[in-house]
Amino acid sequence: MKDIITINECSALRFIPENQYAGWQKKAIEALKLLESGQGKGSDFLGWIGLPSGTPQELIDQIKNICNDWQKDVELVVVIGIGGSYLGAKAVIEALSHSFSFWLSAAGPQIVFAGQNISEDYLAELDDLMKTRSIACIVISKSGTTTEPAIAFRLIKQHILGRYGKEETKRRIVAITDKSRGALRHMADRQEYRSFVIPDNVGGRFSVLTPVGLLPIALAGIDIEDLIAGALNMEHVTAEKKADNPAVKYAALRNALYSKGKKIELLVNFHPKLHYVTEWWKQLFGESEGKEHKGIFPAGVDFTTDLHSMGQYIQDGERHLFETVISVASANRSLTIPEDLEDADGLNYLAGKHIDECNKMAELGTCLAHVDGGVPNLRIEIPSLNAYNLGALLYFFQKACGISGYILGVNPFDQEGVEAYKKYMFALLNRPGFGTRGEPDANHR
Ligand code: PA5
């Protein structure tokens, strides 16, 4: 069987002293063993490791029932959530949908997101859109108390209730939350919304293969069984305690580069559809590793677009970067550059070539130039963009993240730092129990 994910490290190894790399590989294998033993930091949150092999058919069937139900008369599904309760679904839907699906007549409902910001304009404009469509809503929050989705849900719930009445509202709202705790669980039970449980042992940013990701992804018409099957393949591949396990390799390489002062990792794609995979990855690695004043800063660029904005810095700015390219072997569509009799633009030398061939040469040329400029380059190669390969890619990143966090010595599964801004925000909004202080201490500004 051909590997779905291959790590090409050729253009990174030259930045790592030969006698040191084996040591990083050894550390990565030890970190994998610790992760799989369930004895490491944060081991209450390792439920994601076995999700692909443990997804019950009953869950898939429940998800399909909601898809069939809403298929009849729902034109727009508003998915409410933030961070790990939003980015996984957004990443998969963007990667696998037609780039212009919103403007084309689609078979199923359109998906839009809310609760991932507190913008008055965004929510008011969403209300404009909702008024023109038959709508339903999925509200996702593990804690059930996060402010951003709670504000959006209050507005959207009232819109649905006012428009459809109490009984029909039960059919048009689905809650995904903790099994027993939090305001959302209590609301769902009291109002009799259909609901799904986020397992206790799966944190937000590792939850794309729970109903958090699976329900919105299925509603977008994507085959979630293929997505899970790809992840399952990686569940097996990344369990191998050996240096050519791709998750071990990636974790070893990025930590080796970090130890050489490469403190920023740029996740690079050459396909605009992958923009939100990068956003999901940024959260996964940033929230998992940025602790105890340590951790690679995860950033992202969309090439070739950003070569015309960030290219100068990457080529010639401070040398604290390395690049990890998600390299997609084949395009899904076929389009060649036409011949032009006048050749006024001088492009006839490309006539007959596939657009993807030009993109590939841009990818290779960028790698050569950036490596010349002192930027190490890793490549994560996948065959094409489909549900199976994407499921594999997401699972691979999760596993590599757990290994990498353990190499760094942090707890990759908590996120206490996320709470800090909330305390100030609540105090400033005069939330009961959060003090009356109007602004942070001078020392903390
Ligand atoms: O990964 C995480 O734990 C976070 O990003 C959460 O998913 C995010 O803060 C949203 O939390 P909740 O699902 O409780 O609303």
Side-chain angles (χ1 to χ4, degrees):
M1 189 171 53
K2 199 179 167 340
D3 293 339
I4 310 175
I5 299 209
T6 312
I7 308 293
N8 183 333
E9 71 273 51
C10 301
S11 302
L13 283 182
R14 72 180 72 173
F15 296 89
I16 304 167
E18 216 176 313
N19 59 351
Q20 291 177 14
Y21 185 48
W24 288 106
Q25 287 175 309
K26 215 164 144 233
K27 281 186 196 179
I29 293 172
E30 288 310 312
L32 171 61
K33 287 183 187 160
L34 183 62
L35 186 68
E36 300 241 330
S37 74
Q39 304 295 311
K41 291 180 184 171
S43 56
D44 289 351
F45 289 93
L46 297 182
W48 56 273
I49 293 179
L51 281 176
S53 55
T55 306
Q57 187 57 41
E58 195 193 339
L59 174 62
I60 308 278
D61 293 344
Q62 284 168 351
I63 288 174
K64 285 186 178 165
N65 283 343
I66 291 179
C67 294
N68 291 336
D69 181 21
W70 285 357
Q71 188 79 26
K72 291 183 286 202
D73 58 353
V74 172
E75 295 167 309
L76 184 78
V77 177
V78 184
V79 178
I80 301 175
I82 194 166
S85 290
Y86 134 79
L87 280 167
K90 177 81 174 164
V92 175
I93 293 170
E94 291 278 317
L96 300 181
S97 301
H98 193 290
S99 302
F100 304 101
S101 56
F102 211 85
W103 289 270
L104 295 170
S105 53
Q110 303 278 9
I111 313 288
V112 291
F113 291 85
Q116 79 283 37
N117 59 56
I118 330 180
S119 162
E120 188 158 344
D121 289 351
Y122 185 91
L123 286 165
E125 287 166 13
L126 177 61
D127 196 56
D128 295 342
L129 176 66
M130 291 193 301
K131 282 179 189 145
T132 70
R133 303 282 199 285
S134 164
I135 66 163
C137 159
I138 304 171
V139 53
I140 309 172
S141 176
K142 185 169 182 193
S143 62
T145 54
T146 308
T147 309
E148 290 89 338
I151 291 173
F153 184 51
R154 181 178 278 211
L155 287 162
I156 291 159
K157 181 185 63 184
Q158 292 200 358
H159 178 113
I160 293 178
L161 198 58
R163 199 161 142 196
Y164 299 106
K166 196 161 180 238
E167 275 312 300
E168 180 64 6
T169 294
K170 291 180 196 168
R171 189 175 80 82
R172 288 182 183 256
I173 293 180
V174 172
I176 304 179
T177 187
D178 187 82
K179 67 175 181 312
S180 56
R181 281 170 306 189
L184 183 57
R185 168 51 60 200
H186 298 137
M187 265 192 276
D189 291 348
R190 221 175 29 248
Q191 305 300 331
E192 299 174 52
Y193 303 145
R194 286 180 283 189
S195 71
F196 291 88
V197 169
I198 306 174
D200 275 349
N201 59 359
V202 180
R205 59 192 174 278
F206 290 86
S207 69
V208 60
L209 297 172
T210 72
V212 170
L214 296 178
L215 178 59
I217 291 168
L219 278 161
I222 293 161
D223 189 332
I224 54 171
E225 285 168 284
D226 273 2
L227 188 82
I228 295 167
L232 179 61
N233 177 307
M234 274 294 126
E235 185 182 326
H236 297 311
V237 170
T238 62
E240 303 268 347
K241 318 286 180 303
K242 49 187 200 186
D244 65 355
N245 167 340
V248 165
K249 220 179 196 184
Y250 176 48
L253 285 162
R254 61 197 299 283
N255 278 282
L257 292 167
Y258 182 52
S259 76
K260 293 287 140 212
K262 305 299 181 188
K263 294 190 184 285
I264 298 172
E265 179 175 10
L266 291 176
L267 192 70
V268 177
N269 70 71
F270 283 78
H271 299 271
K273 281 171 189 253
L274 290 176
H275 177 83
Y276 274 94
V277 169
T278 301
E279 294 304 307
W280 171 86
W281 169 92
K282 276 161 60 180
Q283 185 201 355
L284 180 69
F285 279 87
E287 211 165 90
S288 300
E289 293 195 317
K291 287 160 197 173
E292 302 172 28
H293 296 180
K294 301 193 273 195
I296 296 169
F297 183 83
V301 279
D302 302 326
F303 285 169
T304 62
T305 312
D306 292 339
L307 285 170
H308 297 263
S309 56
M310 296 300 289
Q312 172 63 39
Y313 189 103
I314 299 167
Q315 187 67 45
D316 211 20
E318 190 171 345
R319 303 297 70 190
H320 51 5
L321 308 165
F322 68 98
E323 288 179 321
T324 298
V325 180
I326 301 178
S327 182
V328 183
S330 311
N332 287 329
R333 304 288 297 269
S334 173
L335 192 63
T336 52
I337 297 172
E339 181 89 35
D340 187 294
L341 284 182
E342 285 183 16
D343 195 25
D345 50 15
L347 278 187
N348 269 354
Y349 77 102
L350 294 176
K353 280 197 196 303
H354 279 272
I355 308 271
D356 196 50
E357 192 182 334
C358 301
N359 205 22
K360 288 283 181 313
M361 292 310 110
E363 185 179 320
L364 182 57
T366 305
C367 171
L368 293 169
H370 288 180
V371 171
D372 281 351
V375 179
N377 184 288
L378 313 177
R379 287 155 60 90
I380 298 170
E381 298 170 349
I382 61 169
S384 61
L385 289 182
N386 61 31
Y388 188 87
N389 295 336
L390 210 63
L393 183 69
L394 299 183
Y395 188 92
F396 153 79
F397 274 135
Q398 291 180 346
K399 197 65 168 283
C401 181
I403 299 170
S404 189
Y406 278 174
I407 297 176
L408 196 64
V410 299
N411 176 356
F413 308 112
D414 67 1
Q415 57 282 324
E416 281 165 26
V418 179
E419 298 309 307
Y421 93 95
K422 295 182 189 170
K423 289 184 192 141
Y424 282 118
M425 178 177 77
F426 293 149
L428 290 162
L429 287 169
N430 298 323
R431 178 174 165 174
F434 280 80
T436 51
R437 209 164 29 147
E439 55 179 21
D441 293 339
N443 293 342
H444 289 90
R445 267 182 221 155

